[in-house]
Amino acid sequence: MSLILKYLKEEKRSELNKINILPENIANKIAAGEVVQRPESVVKELLENSIDAGATSIELIIRKAGKSLIQVCDNGCGMSEDDAILCLQKHATSKISTYEDLEAIMTLGFRGEALSAISAVSLLEIKTERPEDEIGTYIRLDEPGTIIKEKGSFPKGTIISIKNLFFNTPGRRNFLKSDATELKHIIDTFNKIALSKPEISFKLYVDNDVVYDYKEGSIENRIKEVFAENMFDALIPVGENTDFIKLNGYIGKPSLLKKNKGEQYLFLNKRFVISKQINHAVFTAYENFLEKGDYPFFILFLDIDPAKIDVNVHPTKLEVRFEDEKDVYNFVLAVIRKGLGSVDLVPSMTFRNPIFSPEESTEKLAVNKFSRTETNDFTDRPDYAKKSYAAADFSDKEIDLIFNTLPEMPKNTQARPDIPFEKPMTQILHQENRQPELFNRREVESFIIQLHNKYILSQIKTGLMIIDQHVAHERILYEKALKLYDADLRFSQPVLFPITIELDPAKFGLVKELNDYLNRIGFMIKFFSKNTIIIEGIPEDVKLGTEEKIFMEILDEYAYNQKEKKLEVLDNIAKSFSCKTAIKAGDYLSEKEMRNLIDQLFATSNPYVCPHGRPIVIKISLEEFDRRFGRTS
Ligand code: ADP
Ligand code: MG
């Protein structure tokens, strides 16, 4: 016994001393708190142990959101009788033995603390039998310290049951959230782990019901199982492998950005981790697609030599450090950028199956999460009640009907002289600085109509294309503003009668501050006496007669963006300008104007997503029409 303990035992300390050495069972409970925070943490540790044990089939059984039972059954390597007892000790692990091993961890566990921590705060039972053994081992740990051991015949592998979690730490037990919340955490973790190991079959039972039954297979298959059958409509594959670092997986199309966070899956050497740096790299790649509060979806598998990373930052091993942080960052950024530039980003419309059985409802929910076309369709149509009957009161169903009654166009449009055909304008020149060809301009053929003075409908080779005129123009003007700023030409259209505006002091200050930016995109402003400005020139896209109104709206929008979204100055100016100057829903466009708009749109760097991240173009394929009409050929 150490001198200190002896000293304490003999109670020689004075009444004034305040420090106590904690009894071991209390110290263990505290240490357990770091690893075991809630039922979900137990689930994570047990599933990871089964994976490390080489299991090909894992079942998780949950009762009362894990508060009464968490059981994991695997067909892994099992444990010998001695190991089954040893594994409950602190720092007992079969996964590393020397410090050097820490450098090259390929297993999920290595700290040897999960089972001991869990057993400190629950009733634990192990049934295990190795493939090579005739008979297995049963271990029960009722109170910490009292081990009951029996021999018995069990399935090959290991079954670990955790009952009454936190029964002896009421503080923690009371701290747990509702069953629904705790269960959600468990399901999230179960799915993350299932995604990381598609080669293993996973089954989840909740209160005796099978909730998930994932078969072993490819990652593509697992993604479909976890999310939805049509998940891949919303995803772009990415991949790049070098000798030192590999990145593979899927990222969400920009039009499917989400306002909630939890849809980023990063697996580092097959371990789910959270990395601010990697998130930042991915978010940066999405740059212009993102608004504040948007989060791109991704499932990425990053593989790096384990010696070059450190996952031993925190007991939960969720955090990670990279040795070559900058290189990893740049690699991820480049791969995601390339992925975003490589595919047709137009959301195509897929309609829900008419047959909707209750069994499918969970899956359909997931489907809807990722196909925003449903909500983006035509829900925010302006109210036409005051206009002519022809345009009034179209329900979504009727709009669908309009699409469905469009005449079938023959393949060769030249053969239809009755349809006026204007050659697309020749702004194709701009195309060389575009990303890989996303859209075949020749696709824009024959008919083009404006729907409700809001959407432009046009036939394309693969079916029908629908463009939202306001956001399309917004994208054009946004890029134009950025170009004008860069070019610094200060090109402006003089107004006939200079416009004098009296501003409040705050706005006056703002205009002064932004004058150089405003000037570069085409506003010529003179500062007159106190709080008064005179506008002498405007950008060519501002309609005559609306100068003052638009200018004031731009200032308001700028102030709003600055406060609410913390946009950078130039980005904010360009966004505010494009948003307020663009043609609006409700503006009539001639055919020539529509074609012009389409031409300019497809000369921009990203014709498919507006600066705020909303889709600009939606395509409905002929197959989709055929399917809806029951045409099978
Ligand atoms: P770690 O996973 O960090 O090694 P744990 O406390 O989680 O620590 O587990 C301790 C040891 O128990 C493991 O190293 C492993 O040898 C053994 N073990 C745990 N779960 C299983 C299992 N399902 N199958 C076989 N062995 C297991
Ligand atoms: Mg472990």
Side-chain angles (χ1 to χ4, degrees):
M1 194 183 298
S2 77
L3 270 180
I4 302 172
L5 283 182
K6 199 165 171 209
Y7 172 81
L8 292 176
K9 263 237 155 113
E10 289 167 10
E11 292 184 22
K12 279 187 183 155
R13 60 202 174 118
S14 101
E15 292 288 299
L16 292 172
N17 287 344
K18 291 196 179 115
I19 294 177
N20 290 310
I21 302 283
L22 293 172
E24 194 173 314
N25 64 337
I26 299 184
N28 283 349
K29 282 186 202 169
I30 292 175
E34 278 191 50
V35 185
V36 192
Q37 286 151 359
R38 55 189 346 154
E40 173 272 330
S41 344
V42 175
V43 167
K44 173 176 182 286
E45 295 297 336
L46 296 186
L47 292 178
E48 290 189 345
N49 279 347
S50 295
I51 291 172
D52 285 343
T56 57
S57 164
I58 300 176
E59 295 187 0
L60 169 65
I61 295 155
I62 298 293
R63 292 228 179 96
K64 214 171 177 303
K67 294 171 187 173
S68 70
L69 176 73
I70 299 167
Q71 186 177 68
V72 171
C73 316
D74 69 49
N75 64 351
C77 65
M79 283 180 271
S80 68
E81 186 181 323
D82 289 349
D83 279 353
I85 292 174
L86 256 179
C87 74
L88 300 169
Q89 303 293 308
K90 239 187 288 176
H91 312 301
T93 179
S94 55
K95 297 165 195 173
I96 57 173
S97 50
T98 65
Y99 184 74
E100 284 68 46
D101 291 347
L102 248 187
E103 294 272 284
I105 291 163
M106 282 315 259
T107 52
L108 295 168
F110 56 85
R111 296 171 63 108
E113 55 189 11
L115 290 183
S116 82
I118 293 166
S119 69
V121 290
S122 67
L123 308 177
L124 183 143
E125 243 180 45
I126 302 177
K127 287 176 193 159
T128 186
E129 190 172 314
R130 297 184 297 180
E132 63 269 34
D133 290 340
E134 295 273 292
I135 193 156
T137 309
Y138 171 83
I139 300 279
R140 201 171 83 217
L141 209 91
D142 276 355
E143 283 160 38
T146 57
I147 294 182
I148 294 161
K149 187 182 78 183
E150 281 162 25
K151 298 302 281 180
S153 182
F154 305 113
K156 302 291 180 193
T158 304
I159 302 172
I160 297 191
S161 314
I162 308 300
K163 292 180 187 159
N164 296 346
L165 184 63
F166 300 136
F167 76 101
N168 54 356
T169 48
R172 249 182 203 278
R173 197 168 171 96
N174 293 336
F175 190 69
L176 292 180
K177 300 272 171 8
S178 70
D179 285 5
T181 306
E182 293 301 338
L183 189 61
K184 186 177 180 304
H185 285 293
I186 290 174
I187 288 178
D188 283 352
T189 290
F190 176 84
N191 278 331
K192 276 172 196 160
I193 290 179
L195 278 170
S196 77
K197 294 277 168 184
E199 66 275 22
I200 299 176
S201 71
F202 286 90
K203 207 163 177 175
L204 170 64
Y205 294 84
V206 175
D207 299 327
N208 294 332
D209 294 328
V210 181
V211 178
Y212 295 116
D213 185 3
Y214 300 150
K215 306 276 184 280
E216 60 188 273
S218 63
I219 179 64
E220 285 73 21
N221 215 47
R222 184 55 53 85
I223 289 174
K224 282 186 194 167
E225 287 179 317
V226 173
F227 296 100
E229 263 301 311
N230 69 353
M231 183 65 185
F232 284 92
D233 295 349
L235 297 181
I236 304 166
V238 292
E240 196 72 54
N241 297 313
T242 73
D243 288 347
F244 311 99
I245 176 168
K246 298 180 171 62
L247 182 67
N248 293 287
Y250 293 89
I251 56 175
K253 292 184 180 170
S255 53
L256 300 145
L257 292 166
K258 312 278 295 292
K259 285 282 178 219
N260 62 4
K261 262 191 192 175
E263 303 280 359
Q264 287 85 40
Y265 299 89
L266 174 64
F267 300 98
L268 176 62
N269 295 345
K270 300 273 154 63
R271 175 200 306 281
F272 179 83
V273 293
I274 294 172
S275 158
K276 280 204 183 114
Q277 299 96 304
I278 303 291
N279 280 359
H280 193 274
V282 178
F283 287 21
T284 306
Y286 274 81
E287 243 164 10
N288 282 331
F289 303 118
L290 288 176
E291 277 252 285
K292 200 160 198 287
D294 279 345
Y295 294 90
F297 175 93
F298 62 76
I299 301 174
L300 293 172
F301 292 87
L302 185 62
D303 291 290
I304 302 180
D305 176 356
K308 302 229 176 264
I309 57 171
D310 182 6
V311 285
N312 197 14
V313 183
H314 187 266
T316 57
K317 293 167 283 190
L318 269 174
E319 270 176 63
V320 32
R321 292 204 189 108
F322 299 101
E323 195 178 290
D324 311 308
E325 192 173 296
K326 254 219 159 95
D327 292 345
V328 175
Y329 182 96
N330 288 332
F331 182 78
V332 173
L333 178 65
V335 176
I336 305 298
R337 273 209 178 126
K338 189 172 149 215
L340 280 170
S342 69
V343 278
D344 182 350
L345 295 176
V346 191
S348 36
M349 259 196 200
T350 40
F351 295 91
R352 231 190 290 175
N353 264 334
I355 309 132
F356 188 77
S357 66
E359 296 90 73
E360 282 178 319
S361 58
T362 42
E363 188 198 304
K364 293 297 170 196
L365 272 177
V367 177
N368 286 340
K369 279 207 308 197
F370 296 102
S371 77
R372 286 206 352 204
T373 44
E374 283 279 326
T375 47
N376 272 335
D377 275 0
F378 303 98
T379 39
D380 58 347
R381 278 199 314 281
D383 181 6
Y384 285 100
K386 287 184 211 85
K387 294 199 179 164
S388 71
Y389 172 75
D393 287 328
F394 278 101
S395 67
D396 283 3
K397 273 213 185 83
E398 285 166 302
I399 299 259
D400 277 357
L401 212 69
I402 295 176
F403 292 148
N404 295 346
T405 49
L406 290 171
E408 202 178 318
M409 299 293 174
K411 291 257 151 37
N412 180 1
T413 44
Q414 251 77 345
R416 284 180 62 104
D418 51 326
I419 297 173
F421 179 64
E422 206 181 70
K423 282 242 148 50
M425 300 199 188
T426 46
Q427 291 193 355
I428 309 171
L429 301 169
H430 291 281
Q431 288 203 348
E432 73 269 12
N433 59 2
R434 281 181 44 197
Q435 288 158 352
E437 188 60 359
L438 304 177
F439 180 83
N440 180 1
R441 301 173 54 80
R442 301 248 164 69
E443 280 188 320
V444 184
E445 285 170 2
S446 60
F447 94 86
I448 181 163
I449 61 165
Q450 196 184 16
L451 185 74
H452 292 255
N453 288 346
K454 186 171 187 186
Y455 296 103
I456 300 170
L457 270 54
S458 177
Q459 176 184 322
I460 53 173
K461 215 186 292 156
T462 52
L464 174 69
M465 176 173 76
I466 308 165
I467 296 173
D468 180 327
Q469 62 185 41
H470 169 67
V471 286
H473 200 207
E474 209 175 333
R475 163 59 68 187
I476 295 165
L477 293 179
Y478 173 75
E479 295 203 359
K480 190 165 170 186
L482 294 181
K483 278 201 191 109
L484 279 174
Y485 179 85
D486 273 348
D488 196 10
L489 294 171
R490 300 189 194 242
F491 181 72
S492 178
Q493 162 186 300
V495 289
L496 223 45
F497 305 104
I499 307 156
T500 308
I501 310 176
E502 204 185 314
L503 298 166
D504 62 49
K507 283 231 173 84
F508 186 78
L510 184 64
V511 178
K512 268 211 144 140
E513 189 187 314
L514 300 178
N515 188 36
D516 186 49
Y517 291 90
L518 291 167
N519 197 235
R520 286 198 195 197
I521 64 170
F523 286 100
M524 296 295 155
I525 300 163
K526 276 245 166 74
F527 294 86
F528 203 55
S529 64
K530 194 165 149 271
N531 295 343
T532 304
I533 58 166
I534 300 175
I535 299 181
E536 298 187 326
I538 51 166
E540 59 172 355
D541 296 289
V542 176
K543 255 198 262 165
L544 293 176
T546 62
E547 303 90 346
E548 179 173 349
K549 183 171 160 277
I550 287 186
F551 183 75
M552 295 306 286
E553 282 179 2
I554 291 174
L555 288 186
D556 287 340
E557 179 80 5
Y558 181 92
Y560 172 82
N561 285 344
Q562 188 185 34
K563 186 159 168 267
E564 300 296 323
K565 301 180 183 165
K566 314 252 178 311
L567 299 182
E568 276 176 73
V569 180
L570 178 60
D571 187 38
N572 192 350
I573 290 270
K575 277 184 181 156
S576 308
F577 166 74
S578 59
C579 174
K580 295 304 167 187
T581 312
I583 49 168
K584 306 262 177 318
D587 289 347
Y588 168 79
L589 298 179
S590 70
E591 186 178 329
K592 196 163 175 197
E593 284 171 322
M594 286 192 273
R595 290 195 188 279
N596 215 334
L597 188 82
I598 294 180
D599 276 336
Q600 290 185 31
L601 175 66
F602 286 100
T604 63
S605 69
N606 191 336
Y608 300 111
V609 188
C610 90
H612 300 93
R614 271 162 57 194
I616 297 174
V617 181
I618 286 175
K619 281 203 242 176
I620 305 177
S621 66
L622 278 180
E623 291 90 74
E624 182 63 37
F625 283 118
D626 289 346
R627 206 178 62 73
R628 308 247 295 167
F629 279 106
R631 264 177 193 270
T632 41
S633 66

